[in-house]
Amino acid sequence: MRPVDALLHIMRDEKVDTVFGNPGTSELPFTDALATASDIDFVLGVHEGPVVAMADGYARATGRPAFVSLHIAAGLANGLIGLLNASRSRTPLVVTAGQQHRGHLVSDPLLSGDLVGIARPAVKHAFDVQHAHDLPVLLRRAFALARRPPAGPVFLSIPMDLLDEDTDIPVPTRSTVAPLGAATELDAAAALLAGADRPAIVAGDGVGRDGAMAELVAVAEASGATVYHQPMHDRVDFPMTHPLYAGMLAPTNEAIRTALAGHDLVFIVGTHAFMAHHYTPGPAIPDGTTVIQLDSDPAELGRNFPVALGLHGGLAVTLGELGRRLAGRVPAAAGRLAAGARASAGRRAEIDAVARAGYGSAPLDPLAAVHAVTAGLPEDAVVVEEAITSGVQLRRLLALDRPGSLVHTVGGGLGWGLGAAIGHQLGQPDRPVVAVLGDGCTMFGLQGLWTAARHRVPATFVVMNNGEYRTLKDTLDGRQSRSTRSGHYVGLDLAAPGLDFTKAAEFFGVESVRVRDTDQLADAVAKAAVATGPTLIDVPITGHGGERRKP
């Protein structure tokens, strides 16, 4: 089998039905072969940033590694933000880039470079394929590594002339690897949970990735533990309407420590070191707190804080066994559940009242705006969130219970959300996708609208347009009082001239609307349920300090 045929054979065997890419001369042998591969679609992006984000969304929607084709050194560099995001969010991707012809690499030709060196810091592993007979082995290895906990992107540099070689190479069959079993020491874990007076659970994104939410719910209900999402969680890891759910932990050690101070035991499940964002002194775990930690990645156990018991195993099977050991063992569980229901109802009523009080005309109050978005969400919608300050408010209002209903990245590289929404909609076309995006985030990934228009992807893009980098202004004000500042911010304003995203949508051929009030916003979001193509909703919101701008 020729190298290029072996590449396509393995892709099919690994269930690849879509390639996300932006091709150049060094990828032409690959794209030429795809021209006769009717069972593999090529989704073209006009910039590599949105291309990688689309693959990220597609992998999450399908539950399979997605395949990405980037163009040599420059295209790989453009895609690094997406690869960093995928690494942090542990999204399985197999990423290739064509290298220049090996016959003149010694001459340092245009666009060539150390592709492995460029990719290595942003991926789980990087391979430099130099021999045709190595390609099938390394490609199989890349798919296996991309899936194996901790999952992530794997990169291969493939010289363009290697794919053109007229040589017969063997192709190894796909290996079957048994999943992780249950952790050991579960009797000890159950005894610790059952003996706690005020237990808490931190639900990490590993729960959602591993399909373990139902098993975690059983553990929470059996123990009566209060449940928090990990900071800036990028999926639904615990039902948001559950009586025991207490919301998301804020992303600083100080805030986490404050939230957990009332608990004598914390069970941390499938989360990477709490993902703190801004630095605050001191540990995340309060002194004297007993910690149990469960993860499919053994490197996480006791990584940043001491644990009384570290459990390594498959999350769903381990939680299932633990739930059975806890069932009927904690008499206080029913009372804790009832108390949690009262507290949860009170929090929701309070935030709902505050948000509704802000309803009105544009520019909208940010909390009222995200409330209107949640009010308009179609049934079974997938929410893709990259809205920074508005996104934090949105999470206080969301009532998502089904796994896969929230998509975010803890990577932090801007411009991911628009492409991720496109990829997720392509990977799961039976669920409406609504992306809630900040205006700055949208600017980073704007080229993705071209792909949405070309492929008639029925995703809805809601742009929260405050004309500024509000999170940075808030951070500056948190560092020092307004009275000691000049009142000016350098490089943080986008409003002059104002950003009208309907004009950008028109340029790319995407239907759009600029909303006048909260009711129109809710109605516009609701139309995502019946959309037949992409829609952009421009939402003028008040800026830093609540200033009202011209809509």
Side-chain angles (χ1 to χ4, degrees):
M1 190 177 293
R2 295 187 309 139
V4 71
D5 297 324
L7 172 60
L8 295 180
H9 174 84
I10 291 174
M11 288 170 62
R12 291 185 177 101
D13 205 27
E14 297 285 352
K15 311 302 181 186
V16 173
D17 54 15
T18 303
V19 173
F20 296 88
N22 180 270
T25 50
S26 55
E27 290 72 45
L28 288 180
F30 176 50
T31 55
D32 190 40
L34 284 176
T36 59
S38 59
D39 55 335
I40 302 176
D41 294 330
F42 187 87
V43 175
L44 175 63
V46 293
H47 188 278
E48 290 87 355
V51 161
V52 179
M54 292 174 207
D56 188 319
Y58 193 81
R60 298 202 205 189
T62 61
R64 306 190 304 270
F67 197 93
V68 184
S69 174
L70 302 178
H71 176 43
I72 210 164
L76 172 59
N78 281 340
L80 284 180
I81 289 178
L83 297 180
L84 288 166
N85 286 336
S87 290
R88 294 288 287 189
S89 288
R90 301 188 171 181
T91 305
L93 305 177
V94 173
V95 184
T96 64
Q99 178 61 283
Q100 285 279 25
H101 194 294
R102 289 169 294 181
H104 71 152
L105 272 179
V106 70
S107 303
D108 193 22
L110 184 70
L111 291 174
S112 66
D114 181 4
L115 302 192
V116 167
I118 295 171
R120 186 177 287 117
V123 299
K124 185 176 178 181
H125 200 89
F127 296 105
D128 187 9
V129 185
Q130 285 297 311
H131 304 285
H133 60 266
D134 290 336
L135 176 63
V137 175
L138 295 180
L139 192 59
R140 286 288 193 199
R141 194 178 298 173
F143 275 100
L145 282 170
R147 285 189 297 264
R148 186 177 304 154
V154 178
F155 174 76
L156 300 98
S157 168
I158 306 176
M160 60 185 296
D161 59 299
L162 187 148
L163 290 183
D164 275 337
E165 286 186 16
D166 188 13
T167 182
D168 188 37
I169 57 174
V171 177
T173 58
R174 188 174 188 270
S175 300
T176 299
V177 178
L180 276 175
T184 60
E185 302 297 327
L186 292 184
D187 286 335
L192 286 171
L193 274 164
D197 293 324
R198 301 173 306 281
I201 293 173
V202 178
D205 288 326
V207 175
R209 280 194 303 270
D210 291 4
M213 194 167 79
E215 289 81 1
L216 184 60
V217 169
V219 170
E221 291 179 349
S223 62
T226 302
V227 182
Y228 303 91
H229 258 126
Q230 74 166 66
M232 305 313 299
H233 55 103
D234 58 23
R235 58 191 70 225
V236 177
D237 305 303
F238 196 82
M240 295 180 175
T241 65
H242 194 282
L244 291 171
Y245 181 60
M248 181 188 78
L249 293 171
T252 68
N253 278 3
E254 181 181 25
I256 296 168
R257 187 169 63 248
T258 299
L260 299 180
H263 302 284
D264 59 339
L265 178 143
V266 179
F267 182 27
I268 300 169
V269 185
T271 182
H272 174 62
F274 281 144
M275 292 291 182
H277 182 199
H278 298 295
Y279 170 76
T280 54
I285 306 296
D287 290 341
T289 304
T290 299
V291 178
I292 306 172
Q293 188 178 12
L294 166 64
D295 211 287
S296 57
D297 178 7
E300 289 296 331
L301 303 177
R303 182 173 183 267
N304 282 353
F305 42 80
V307 299
L309 183 60
L311 304 172
H312 174 228
L315 300 192
V317 64
T318 299
L319 291 170
E321 290 293 333
L322 184 58
R324 283 187 279 276
R325 284 168 168 79
L326 282 169
R329 192 169 168 180
V330 183
R336 294 170 184 170
L337 188 67
R342 292 190 295 271
S344 177
R347 285 192 302 269
R348 287 203 169 272
E350 181 180 3
I351 190 67
D352 183 75
V354 173
R356 289 185 182 279
Y359 268 45
S361 58
L364 307 180
D365 172 80
L367 180 61
V370 293
H371 187 280
V373 170
T374 62
L377 282 176
E379 184 178 358
D380 207 27
V382 175
V383 177
V384 176
E385 186 270 304
E386 193 192 21
I388 316 299
T389 48
S390 295
V392 173
Q393 300 281 41
L394 177 69
R395 288 163 186 261
R396 299 172 66 194
L397 295 163
L398 286 173
L400 303 175
D401 291 344
R402 179 178 171 183
S405 297
L406 175 68
V407 185
H408 174 69
T409 180
V410 291
L414 298 188
W416 165 91
L418 199 151
I422 295 168
H424 204 288
Q425 186 71 84
L426 289 170
Q428 203 170 40
D430 58 326
R431 297 183 69 180
V433 172
V434 176
V436 182
L437 311 170
D439 49 2
C441 300
T442 303
M443 292 291 284
F444 271 74
L446 198 61
Q447 303 94 329
L449 290 178
W450 185 92
T451 302
R454 176 187 177 92
H455 290 270
R456 298 298 298 162
V457 180
T460 298
F461 310 102
V462 183
V463 181
M464 310 302 288
N465 186 354
N466 58 16
E468 63 186 4
Y469 295 131
R470 180 169 180 173
T471 186
L472 299 181
K473 292 183 178 180
D474 288 346
T475 302
L476 273 174
D477 287 350
R479 287 165 56 91
Q480 49 190 318
S481 69
R482 283 184 179 272
S483 62
T484 61
R485 296 193 68 254
S486 65
H488 297 290
Y489 303 90
V490 175
L492 304 185
D493 289 299
L494 307 173
L499 296 175
D500 184 345
F501 284 92
T502 65
K503 303 300 184 184
E506 180 182 3
F507 173 78
F508 286 108
V510 172
E511 292 186 9
S512 64
V513 60
R514 189 170 171 88
V515 299
R516 299 181 303 274
D517 53 44
T518 38
D519 289 337
Q520 186 189 16
L521 172 56
D523 290 342
V525 171
K527 292 177 181 176
V530 294
T532 57
T535 303
L536 185 145
I537 305 172
D538 190 348
V539 186
I541 60 175
T542 55
H544 181 72
E547 296 92 344
R548 296 184 68 83
R549 300 180 293 104
K550 183 178 179 181

